[in-house]
Amino acid sequence: MTEEEIQAHVIDLLAANDREGFREEFLQNHSFDQAQMYLNLDPEQRQKVHHFLTPKELSEVYDIIDEEDEEQIFTFLFDMDDRYAANLLSFMYTDNAVDILNELSLEQVRTYMRLMPKESADDIKSLMNYADETAGAIMTTEFVSIKANQTVKSAMTLLRAKASSAETIYYLYVVDDDNRLVGVLSLRDLIISQGNEMVYDLMSDRIVAVDVKEDQNSIAKTIKDYDFLAIPVIEETGELIGIVTVDDIIDVIDDEATQDYSGLAGVDVDEQYENPLKSSKSRLPWLITLLFLGMGTSTLISQFEDMIAEVAILSIFITLITGTAGNAGTQSLAVAVRRLATPDDEVSSFFDMVVREITTGLISGAITGFVIFAVISVWRQNIALGLVIGIAMLAAITVANLAGSLIPILMDKLGFDPAVASGPFITTLSDLTSVLIYFSIASYFMPYLQ
Amino acid sequence: MTEEEIQAHVIDLLAANDREGFREEFLQNHSFDQAQMYLNLDPEQRQKVHHFLTPKELSEVYDIIDEEDEEQIFTFLFDMDDRYAANLLSFMYTDNAVDILNELSLEQVRTYMRLMPKESADDIKSLMNYADETAGAIMTTEFVSIKANQTVKSAMTLLRAKASSAETIYYLYVVDDDNRLVGVLSLRDLIISQGNEMVYDLMSDRIVAVDVKEDQNSIAKTIKDYDFLAIPVIEETGELIGIVTVDDIIDVIDDEATQDYSGLAGVDVDEQYENPLKSSKSRLPWLITLLFLGMGTSTLISQFEDMIAEVAILSIFITLITGTAGNAGTQSLAVAVRRLATPDDEVSSFFDMVVREITTGLISGAITGFVIFAVISVWRQNIALGLVIGIAMLAAITVANLAGSLIPILMDKLGFDPAVASGPFITTLSDLTSVLIYFSIASYFMPYLQ
């Protein structure tokens, strides 16, 4: 059957009020496919699903929808019986439930918390306190922990009991009596061992764990380096409080990349508007803001209007200088944003980074400046003009490189995401500085240009 | 012990020729940490490691280095005994071994192939034929397959035997007698089942698999959607030939994001040069190329030199129009590149996409144009000038939007990666069209501007 046929069949079964038929057909699909079907239903059909499936069964669908289409969840939840919704939330992985609850009104959260099992409510409460984009905010508390002085056989029994609720069973975390993490054992190691071997003989005690306050980017880097499927999260005391799983890390990597890309382009690149009116609405704020910054450049040029009237040829090279400096600034910006995002990079001092970018700007600027000096001197048979453009190019590129790296560094120091510093912003700003440099240099050379 | 202390200890053990001590200390580390240590050794120390560790033990280190630092591998391999190197390659995951062999000379490949077990050589040969960035190129052949009419107990026994060599044991793939994939069973399902249950009763037959020719981006999307740890790769016949694991997909997502970001910025953003000379060398090709494209714009403006000499005020607004159009073009470019990269997006027809971008450009252009018309009419008390700038802005933004979306779409149709169309290229190109539009419109209005 194709996906469409399955969907049609499921809808027929709902229409026929065939509880058993629906459950059999629906539940044999992957939760991602279940989620697609569920999202395609109308509100009345969805109500029936809420009667036919247990909160636990539907919670797997919601774990998927949470990643895909968070907004829709709120309408769906409000259509449910509060008790059903509370149970559904309690069966979801804690990190996903917290995502949803963080967007609800305090009153609504209280209602749900009161209606769900106390243990789940406590788990959720403890996670709601962690700052966004830290280990605490993306971890889940459904992991399997064992003791070092257990046998493989007893660990296996414990694992079987927890297998249906844990987010991953492929790592077993070994804790001491104070719940401090002392070792890790993979299910692979467990499976190939004999039943009477002891956990402490098999476990690895070279633990790689992350602090609960650690930034999600840095966690992503560790998971990527070690090819982990999950990483344990510990308190400062060493107490094991959760795990971050690889599927959440994929979302982190993907979201960060989209944010960086959007930042550099000055637009939300995931705009999925079929409607140009909505696209324009999302793009115009940047365009208009930068238009006014650009007006600054125009005002600046207008100060040199008399000079241009005298030596009109100067106007020919404005875009060449602003354009090239803008390109250099964009390169420098992208490299700086990327460096700042690489957490374990040998963090160079602020001073080092700036000196390096100025030097890079000076070298690139000198070469570009020399090329343009040669071209213009020959083309226009005017060495003075060539000198003005060449020197202005050198200075404008150096300043653009400096701005391109300095702005994200400063934003980072001030606690903002450096990726917000967009390419369009840097090019527009660099237009202003380039024009100022160009006409200042030109005014020195005026006697030779006329 | 800190990492540095462990490293120093390991080096001491090597110096003391303490084979057992070295093995015990070194092998208890994660392979990522082993790789860091190995990379930090000098050639002589590395030689000793090759005597102290078996090719199989060292292969895990090489599986890690392959992702991190491919270039270094070649020097290391050539320092080894050929037979040792061949065995090392045969123990690596097939996809990683193929990565390395693809970079070697044909003669060298033949030498290694002859020296390794025939089975490994055959596996490697079959993978070397697949096109880059497809399922075939990134899959591994180390998976566990079982039959539907096995009991859980016998499947478990088979799994134990394969556990040490398979890249993942967390999914078991169920095949028929012709090796066609008929079902999937997770280790989790297996573990919570009774020993006498049959695989066909437990397995899921709603299989999600990818074709061996499928593009790696589209595989990444599926793994991300379904939260899989691995996905089976099949031939057109349905025959199961490999799996793609989540750790390789993380690298795919990361690499693609870096490429897109680098493309948009016109620079290799992962340049890690401490040396400004090298940075400049990597950035200059784009800068100089675009400088010559920018010269086109200057030449174009020079055609209007007389006009500028008469109405110098026109020159004031050149950067405003080129800058704003460049910003709009960058936005449009980034959205188009992103849309093209989202494989399962309802692919709109070429015509639809272009019409939508033109419309978005017209709307954004009309609003931006009106704003600048109003500002200039008031500021300069010159409605004709306001009209010229406003209309030019509208037209320039529309054209920039069109170019920003059309260029990546065309590149995609022609089989190039659309992400290579860089932001700096679009802004420089849009400078040219914007200037043409601006001065053409201005020349119509000349009588009213003087």
Side-chain angles (χ1 to χ4, degrees), chain B residues 31-48:
Chain B
S31 25
F32 177 75
D33 296 323
Q34 290 176 2
Q36 304 316 307
M37 285 186 228
Y38 181 79
L39 290 170
N40 281 332
L41 298 178
D42 65 31
E44 200 186 329
Q45 291 163 342
R46 218 155 15 230
Q47 283 296 357
K48 277 196 188 153

Side-chain angles (χ1 to χ4, degrees), chain A residues 16-147:
Chain A
N17 271 320
D18 181 354
R19 186 172 188 277
E20 281 319 306
F22 167 79
R23 288 174 53 84
E24 192 186 326
E25 183 62 40
F26 186 82
L27 289 175
Q28 70 178 315
N29 291 286
H30 282 278
S31 25
F32 177 74
D33 296 321
Q34 291 177 2
Q36 305 314 308
M37 287 187 227
Y38 180 80
L39 289 170
N40 281 331
L41 298 178
D42 65 30
E44 202 187 326
Q45 291 161 344
R46 214 149 24 226
Q47 283 296 355
K48 277 194 189 155
V49 173
H50 302 166
H51 284 111
F52 289 175
L53 297 182
T54 65
K56 181 159 195 234
E57 284 159 348
L58 195 61
S59 72
E60 292 182 21
V61 172
Y62 272 71
D63 276 323
I64 293 281
I65 304 182
D66 177 53
E67 291 175 16
E68 297 281 309
D69 218 339
E70 220 186 358
E71 292 79 37
Q72 297 218 46
I73 288 190
F74 306 118
T75 355
F76 298 166
L77 280 183
F78 297 150
D79 279 352
M80 287 175 201
D81 175 71
D82 274 353
R83 186 172 300 271
Y84 187 93
N87 268 309
L88 175 77
L89 288 163
S90 79
F91 282 116
M92 288 179 68
Y93 292 124
T94 326
D95 49 344
N96 297 342
V98 167
D99 272 359
I100 295 170
L101 289 167
N102 270 333
E103 304 293 319
L104 296 177
S105 72
L106 196 60
E107 197 192 347
Q108 195 67 46
V109 172
R110 282 206 189 113
T111 310
Y112 288 145
M113 295 293 233
R114 214 171 36 232
L115 290 169
M116 70 175 67
K118 185 166 180 310
E119 199 189 334
S120 307
D122 288 346
D123 273 357
I124 288 177
K125 256 181 240 159
S126 71
L127 287 204
M128 288 183 81
N129 293 325
Y130 294 111
D132 252 15
E133 310 203 335
T134 61
I138 60 172
M139 74 184 183
T140 178
T141 51
E142 285 94 354
F143 56 88
V144 183
S145 64
I146 55 176
K147 292 285 160 69

